[in-house]
Amino acid sequence: MITLRPRRLKTLVGAGNFAFASNDTDSTTGPRRAVELARKAESEKITGLFTADLLHIDPAGLAGTTGTQEPIVALAALSQVTSHIGLVATVSTTYHHPYNLARLIGTLDHASGGRAAWNAVTSSVGEENFGGDALPDPAKRYARATEFIEVINALFDANDERAAFRNPSGSIGVDPAKLHRIDYAGEHFQVQGPLNVPPPPQGRPVQFQAGQSTEGVTLGARYAEVVYTSQPTLEAAISFAGELRRQARSFGRGHNLPLVMNSFHAVIGESNADVMRRIREKHEKIDYEQGRLKLADMLGGGLDLSDLQLDEPLPEGLLPDVESVNRRRGRVEIFRRYAQKGLSLRELIIQAQETGHWSLAGTPVQLADALEERFHAGALDVISLHGLGNPDQEDLLLNGLLPELRKRSLIDEEYVEGGFRANLGLPDLIKTNSELSVRAG
């Protein structure tokens, strides 16, 4: 008999950074902090640790420390000091190869006991570090991403789950006859196989995907188990989830898949007055000159906003045509809408600090109300929470917002057996045809 678990909002937090800093007195300071934060998240029964990534360093510092550590290596280290929390690595399908990734992420699933996931992104930066060719246009990036995921899935699904066995000595043996070729021949990838990493505990690591352009929605609807999207309003979130699942059904998918993930950029305060104080102090810290650069980046780059008045709206003629932009079209569309509503340059710069994500300020009760509303509207299944490791917000997150969500039975209070896929509440994995051959090249 199958026992159905009640639907719960799943939670992610960012993994800590292992990097050695020049003013560290001890070379283990970064690792110790990353481990401490991971263990703290696990003690709070957070569903997973998430790692964002970029493939270059932004000379203007607009992206902070994103990209300053390799996600899979960092999560492999954290897998050895945790037991239940999921591990989500962001990986570029434009600047990686599916066979290599299958080996890496499959090994992470083995090393973690079935807790690995990867977040597919097509990359909007970094082309200068991979041969110098121009960044492919979105259609080409997503065509490559489609083949990339097909190859990954085929490699994992082709192998017999009985391929590896434990010898009496404790060592591992592998039966090569149970590892099967895929003979994939596409426009972007030609992969014979088989994958030489035995089937991992989850069968396949969980598939996340980030992207909200037209091509991104279609890719997520077809293959992702969790889609990560920026939806700053409830109306936009409901519309996005509806379209995503409509397309998913057209691909023959059920079970309310994919799950929808948002990042929640919250300012938590103890009272309304405290919330207002925190917002005011946050805005006072903004460097509005750098903010002009950040806003230009949110609008696709290449805009000069240096001479515009802070308290005037952007001229309509400055706003780019989304279809003409080669990078992060979904983000550009969000900021176009903000500008078309008449927001001043100052207000747009404030919004740019949240990079188009859902941002809200309030008490734990008020924030829980907003999360509950979006969750019950069917527009939110997984939420990335901020504040862990931030001295100004951590206590209010751990002792304010999370307890309020638990009181409402919105989030899990314990892990279940079965790995990350089970703790996300995802249905059992349905493998692709192990005889998958081939796309015509």
Side-chain angles (χ1 to χ4, degrees), residues 365-396:
V365 170
Q366 292 165 343
L367 296 175
D369 285 344
L371 288 164
E372 186 170 29
E373 180 182 34
R374 197 173 281 209
F375 175 71
H376 286 313
L380 178 67
D381 304 288
V382 182
I383 192 72
S384 175
L385 297 169
H386 297 252
L388 191 65
N390 178 349
D392 186 54
Q393 290 282 276
E394 184 175 294
D395 182 65
L396 286 163

Side-chain angles (χ1 to χ4, degrees), residues 187-203:
E187 179 182 353
H188 300 277
F189 300 107
Q190 295 77 44
V191 179
Q192 174 181 290
L195 179 63
N196 59 353
V197 173
Q202 293 187 102

Side-chain angles (χ1 to χ4, degrees), residues 242-264:
E243 175 59 19
L244 178 72
R245 286 169 180 148
R246 183 196 67 76
Q247 290 196 34
R249 288 192 297 274
S250 76
F251 289 118
R253 303 184 70 188
H255 303 289
N256 207 34
L257 290 174
L259 303 183
V260 176
M261 172 185 165
N262 293 169
S263 182
F264 192 45

Side-chain angles (χ1 to χ4, degrees), residues 299-317:
L299 287 166
L303 299 182
D304 183 1
L305 308 179
S306 58
D307 293 332
L308 300 182
Q309 296 298 309
L310 279 173
D311 294 310
E312 295 291 332
L314 263 63
E316 177 75 23

Side-chain angles (χ1 to χ4, degrees), residues 31-101:
R32 284 203 313 272
R33 184 174 185 274
V35 168
E36 176 189 352
L37 292 175
R39 286 175 168 165
K40 192 176 291 186
E42 189 164 71
S43 72
E44 294 289 335
K45 306 301 185 286
I46 297 296
T47 317
L49 297 171
F50 185 87
T51 56
D53 198 24
L54 290 173
L55 297 175
H56 79 165
I57 192 72
D58 178 5
L62 302 180
T65 59
T66 302
T68 55
Q69 66 179 1
E70 200 291 313
I72 297 174
V73 174
L75 292 173
L78 294 177
S79 77
Q80 301 306 292
V81 295
T82 54
S83 302
H84 296 94
I85 197 165
L87 307 163
V88 188
T90 293
V91 178
S92 171
T93 57
T94 302
Y95 297 117
H96 219 298
H97 192 283
Y99 192 87
N100 282 340
L101 179 63

